[in-house]
Amino acid sequence: MTLAQQQCEACRADAPKVEDHELAELIREIPDWAAVVINDVMQLERQYRFKNFKLALAFTNKVGELAEAEGHHPEIVTEWGKVTVRWWTHKINGLHRNDFICAAKTDELLD
């Protein structure tokens, strides 16, 4: 089953973070995403390019709908022709499998 076919699970404050060996395996399934550290928190980040603001905003709204459906919410920055999405799990201050699932589902929104 691909990441995009999986569902997020409810996450608790004591949920395990993705370990280094898992990170290497999971990131291969979402090659356009990068693992970045922001304010000492590992996150998944990707920038999407669009022809104009209207298309960028429409994509942003789709990401918002996905986030609500999954009960997992990213940081979304919408600019003219560009949307930056960052997924991480706030409760554990790092990456959980849910973040990879949502990143894969975000990529599918382009279709």
Side-chain angles (χ1 to χ4, degrees):
M1 183 181 303
T2 67
L3 284 171
Q5 294 171 319
Q6 298 175 36
Q7 295 296 315
C8 288
E9 62 183 53
C11 199
R12 302 175 323 273
D14 63 343
K17 292 181 183 178
V18 168
E19 295 183 19
D20 288 344
H21 70 279
E22 295 171 296
L23 174 64
E25 183 181 310
L26 290 167
I27 204 79
R28 281 194 294 268
E29 293 190 50
I30 51 168
D32 295 321
W33 289 79
V36 298
V37 177
I38 299 173
N39 297 325
D40 296 324
V41 178
M42 175 110 24
Q43 303 174 22
L44 295 176
E45 178 182 85
R46 180 170 177 194
Q47 290 186 349
Y48 296 86
R49 299 276 178 188
F50 299 92
K51 291 182 182 179
N52 55 47
F53 185 78
K54 184 177 181 179
L55 292 172
L57 184 58
F59 181 76
T60 296
N61 289 329
K62 288 181 183 179
V63 175
E65 290 171 13
L66 166 67
E68 282 296 296
E70 293 293 331
H72 193 54
H73 301 89
E75 177 177 314
I76 308 168
V77 178
T78 306
E79 304 174 67
W80 190 96
K82 180 172 75 172
V83 177
T84 304
V85 181
R86 286 193 200 109
W87 290 102
W88 77 97
T89 301
H90 298 81
K91 284 185 178 180
I92 63 171
N93 237 6
L95 292 176
H96 185 273
R97 184 174 189 86
N98 289 347
D99 301 303
F100 294 86
I101 291 169
C102 287
K105 288 183 179 203
T106 303
D107 285 345
E108 287 195 334
L109 297 175
L110 291 173
D111 297 336

